[in-house]
Amino acid sequence: MNIWKPWKRTPEYKGEEKKEDYNFFEISSFFRFDKHQRALGVLSEQTCADLGFEDLFMFSDRTVSRVGQQYLYNLMRTIPAGANEVEQNEPLINRLATNPGLHAEAVKDLHVLSAPDAYSIAPLMELGHPVVPVWKKILFRICGLLPTLFLLLFYLNQSGACLLLLIATILMNGVIHYSNKPNNLNYIASIPQLIRLLNLSDKQSKNPLFSEIAGGVPEALSSLETLRKASGHLRMESKMDSDLAVILWAIMECVKVFFLAEPIAYNKVVTLLKDKNRDIETVFRFIGLVDTLSSVVFLRKSLSYYSLPEQPEAGLRVEADEMYHPLLENCVANTIRIEGRSILFTGSNMSGKTTFIRTLGVNILAAQTLHMAFARRMKLKMPVMIHAALMLSDSLADGKSFYLKEVESIRDMLSCGQSEHTNLFLLDEIFKGTNTTERIAAAKAVLSYLNTACNIVVVSTHDTELGGFLENEYDLYHFCEKITDDVLSFDYKLKSGNLYQRNAIRILEINDYPSSLIEDAYSVIRQIEGK
């Protein structure tokens, strides 16, 4: 059983990689809430899996608060239609990077939202809060006044009837109070964290460093002031963690039962939440952006080198110099230039084809979301929507073979490929789930169909024949291995042209396959080539 253990963050956090198990269900809650109305699109689950998105996110995540972590996840999974928040705020990133004291102060302030409970703020922006009928609000307010009324009457008249009515109304309020307790549990973690978010937003919006990105925050905070005041009972309940606090809690419970304060406040809070979700989103995005910009500063400092994406000259789609994958230790850097034609790679297994395709996808994603590339220089014509089919597998649950899953994924790509914006299609060993003749024929037809003026196709294959069919539409590259003194080695360097050498059977030979088997394999090749 996998038990999630949060990493203990400290106010002195210096931007190192985190030692924690990531709860991606909680982290992605803001992504699920966001409508992405101004975005070009979002990465599909398949594309995320193929690019290793979760590993990339964990490496890139240098946020302090849970709000910032949720915001960064949403940012990295969303392809912006234009300049995104990081690109727009490069001057602010530079100020943070060149003023370590100001950066450290911001990190210390953000620490107030580092507890896992802060994940629960994002769901408050949903519209699924209970609807409290008006009659119920009025009834609870009347019930909250009755004990005071009968206590006053008993004091004035010393009447036994007034005492009985006093006791009866207190008991009635107790039943209502404790019947409402389960409702409070839905907000006992989120509301206190929301109040912390509001307090932090109030402070940071007045900070000259962040005031320029705080548009709409003062107005949102003013609108949420009634919610802040109405939520006092939930804030107090969440702090009951010592003996003295428990005694205080017992006293407060008696007071709240007497005045029916908790259910009345609960009704007010859930009513306000339904009307204030956009104001909550405003302050959430503000603090999320502050933390994300801080995270980008930390990330860039941790890299051996990086670059800011540049606008390419006319006709150029992508150019990357010494591009590498940030998660691969001692990664071999490669350079690629994509102009009017797409790219087809050939090469044997383990030679680096799939890793390079994934590296290109990761860099194009980072360039658009984090406004940085893991390369000496990156030129990219943005925006580019990313689609990948690199790690498909069959589905026993759905009763679908590998080939059918691949057919469905590529069908979706064909549909997306007709859009007016630029698409990047990343494919590995296309149609490898079927026979050689039909695989080459179908792959050629699909790759020609996808290769439009708007689209960039990057595909790998073992079928060198495919390069011959596509040499007028695709630029051909390859990765290759060397066998020296029966030792297999790879340099992982990208080379121009199609790959014609054959080493697959030679690799079997140096791995001590029987000599008769090797000779049989070579004889089959001679027969095929003879035909």
Side-chain angles (χ1 to χ4, degrees), residues 429-472:
E429 301 298 334
I430 183 171
F431 293 136
K432 63 183 175 182
T434 190
N435 65 80
T436 303
T437 301
E438 290 185 298
R439 176 175 66 246
I440 294 173
K444 191 276 173 191
V446 165
L447 295 177
S448 292
Y449 188 89
L450 286 176
N451 186 33
T452 68
C454 287
N455 297 331
I456 305 170
V457 185
V458 180
V459 58
S460 72
T461 181
H462 282 300
D463 298 314
T464 55
E465 300 89 343
L466 190 57
F469 286 113
L470 292 170
E471 60 185 357
N472 294 326

Side-chain angles (χ1 to χ4, degrees), residues 55-73:
D55 291 331
L56 176 66
F57 174 78
M58 289 188 287
F59 173 79
S60 304
D61 172 32
R62 312 302 170 95
T63 59
V64 180
S65 70
R66 305 296 176 178
V67 170
Q69 195 176 49
Q70 291 172 317
Y71 189 88
L72 177 64
Y73 180 94

Side-chain angles (χ1 to χ4, degrees), residues 9 64-66 111-119 193 196:
R9 295 166 168 154
V64 180
S65 70
R66 305 296 176 178
H111 184 263
V112 72
L113 290 171
S114 63
D117 280 352
Y119 284 139
Q193 295 296 327
R196 291 184 176 188

Side-chain angles (χ1 to χ4, degrees), residues 261-378:
E262 194 171 279
I264 292 172
Y266 167 82
N267 291 342
K268 187 172 183 179
V269 166
V270 296
T271 301
L272 289 172
L273 284 173
K274 292 184 73 68
D275 297 330
K276 304 296 184 182
N277 60 313
R278 291 305 169 198
D279 293 319
I280 295 173
E281 183 180 353
T282 297
V283 295
F284 184 98
R285 287 183 178 276
F286 170 60
I287 293 301
L289 178 57
V290 168
D291 204 355
T292 291
L293 297 180
S294 166
S295 175
V296 169
V297 172
F298 280 137
L299 174 61
R300 291 178 180 178
K301 287 182 178 179
S302 72
L303 300 172
S304 55
Y305 63 87
Y306 70 93
S307 62
L308 302 185
E310 304 173 23
Q311 183 69 22
E313 55 270 22
L316 181 63
R317 295 177 173 185
V318 182
E319 184 177 39
D321 296 334
E322 295 188 52
M323 178 179 64
Y324 67 98
H325 198 298
L327 303 184
L328 295 181
E329 189 175 357
N330 301 318
C331 180
V332 176
N334 274 291
T335 297
I336 187 73
R337 181 181 176 91
I338 303 176
E339 295 185 72
R341 291 149 60 100
S342 291
I343 303 294
L344 186 144
F345 299 98
T346 50
S348 61
N349 288 325
M350 303 183 297
S351 61
K353 302 189 307 298
T354 308
T355 298
F356 180 83
I357 292 174
R358 188 175 286 118
T359 299
L360 180 62
V362 162
N363 273 270
I364 290 178
L365 174 63
Q368 296 183 94
T369 58
L370 300 177
H371 196 231
M372 58 179 291
F374 308 106
R376 296 287 183 190
R377 188 178 188 184
M378 167 71 86

Side-chain angles (χ1 to χ4, degrees), residues 450-507:
L450 286 176
N451 186 33
T452 68
C454 287
N455 297 331
I456 305 170
V457 185
V458 180
V459 58
S460 72
T461 181
H462 282 300
D463 298 314
T464 55
E465 300 89 343
L466 190 57
F469 286 113
L470 292 170
E471 60 185 357
N472 294 326
E473 304 173 54
Y474 282 68
D475 288 331
L476 306 182
Y477 292 88
H478 70 272
F479 291 89
C480 63
E481 72 282 352
K482 293 182 180 179
I483 299 177
T484 306
D485 299 327
D486 291 341
V487 175
L488 178 68
S489 62
F490 301 93
D491 62 9
Y492 306 111
K493 295 298 291 185
L494 181 65
K495 302 172 181 68
S496 296
N498 208 354
L499 176 67
Y500 294 102
Q501 68 184 44
R502 292 173 175 170
N503 287 328
I505 297 176
R506 180 74 178 108
I507 291 172

Side-chain angles (χ1 to χ4, degrees), residues 29-304:
S29 59
F30 181 61
F31 171 79
R32 297 193 300 271
F33 159 78
D34 194 6
K35 304 304 181 186
H36 306 108
Q37 294 176 342
R38 299 180 181 178
L40 183 67
V42 298
L43 297 187
S44 68
E45 294 292 338
Q46 182 64 53
T47 299
C48 284
D50 288 342
L51 294 182
F53 176 82
E54 290 188 354
D55 291 331
L56 176 66
F57 174 78
M58 289 188 287
F59 173 79
S60 304
D61 172 32
R62 312 302 170 95
T63 59
V64 180
S65 70
R66 305 296 176 178
V67 170
Q69 195 176 49
Q70 291 172 317
Y71 189 88
L72 177 64
Y73 180 94
N74 184 51
L75 180 80
M76 290 184 65
R77 245 189 106 166
T78 305
I79 304 298
N84 79 335
E85 291 94 333
V86 178
E87 180 179 356
Q88 292 170 349
N89 291 290
E90 276 295 336
L92 179 51
I93 292 175
N94 291 333
R95 287 200 292 274
L96 286 171
T98 54
N99 292 275
L102 295 176
H103 190 192
E105 183 179 350
V107 167
K108 188 174 182 180
D109 290 339
L110 289 164
H111 184 263
V112 72
L113 290 171
S114 63
D117 280 352
Y119 284 139
S120 62
I121 298 174
L124 290 176
M125 290 180 274
E126 296 284 357
L127 298 176
H129 301 289
V131 177
V132 182
V134 175
W135 66 264
K136 195 173 186 178
K137 296 179 185 178
I138 296 173
L139 178 62
F140 279 16
R141 288 192 175 277
I142 292 172
C143 291
L145 294 173
L146 289 178
T148 303
L149 174 63
F150 291 124
L151 178 62
L152 181 60
L153 291 175
F154 175 72
Y155 176 77
L156 295 175
N157 301 325
Q158 300 294 311
S159 167
C162 291
L163 179 60
L164 290 175
L165 289 171
L166 172 62
I167 295 172
T169 53
I170 291 175
L171 291 175
M172 178 184 67
N173 284 1
V175 171
I176 296 173
H177 174 87
Y178 287 103
S179 296
N180 191 68
K181 279 290 184 184
N183 296 328
N184 282 355
L185 294 177
N186 295 327
Y187 298 93
I188 200 168
S190 56
I191 291 298
Q193 295 296 327
L194 174 61
I195 302 308
R196 291 184 176 188
L197 173 65
L198 300 182
N199 293 337
L200 179 60
S201 298
D202 187 35
K203 179 178 180 180
Q204 297 294 8
S205 64
K206 297 173 181 175
N207 185 338
L209 189 63
F210 301 118
S211 58
E212 62 189 57
I213 61 172
V217 173
E219 293 78 8
L221 291 172
S222 177
S223 176
L224 290 166
E225 186 59 29
T226 52
L227 177 61
R228 188 202 304 254
K229 293 177 179 178
S231 59
H233 69 282
L234 288 174
R235 280 182 282 167
M236 178 170 288
E237 186 125 336
S238 68
K239 299 176 181 178
M240 301 294 111
D241 54 4
S242 67
D243 292 341
L244 182 59
V246 170
I247 295 173
L248 177 61
W249 172 82
I251 296 172
M252 290 303 300
E253 279 290 285
C254 294
V255 174
K256 287 190 285 187
V257 166
F258 189 88
F259 292 104
L260 203 59
E262 194 171 279
I264 292 172
Y266 167 82
N267 291 342
K268 187 172 183 179
V269 166
V270 296
T271 301
L272 289 172
L273 284 173
K274 292 184 73 68
D275 297 330
K276 304 296 184 182
N277 60 313
R278 291 305 169 198
D279 293 319
I280 295 173
E281 183 180 353
T282 297
V283 295
F284 184 98
R285 287 183 178 276
F286 170 60
I287 293 301
L289 178 57
V290 168
D291 204 355
T292 291
L293 297 180
S294 166
S295 175
V296 169
V297 172
F298 280 137
L299 174 61
R300 291 178 180 178
K301 287 182 178 179
S302 72
L303 300 172
S304 55

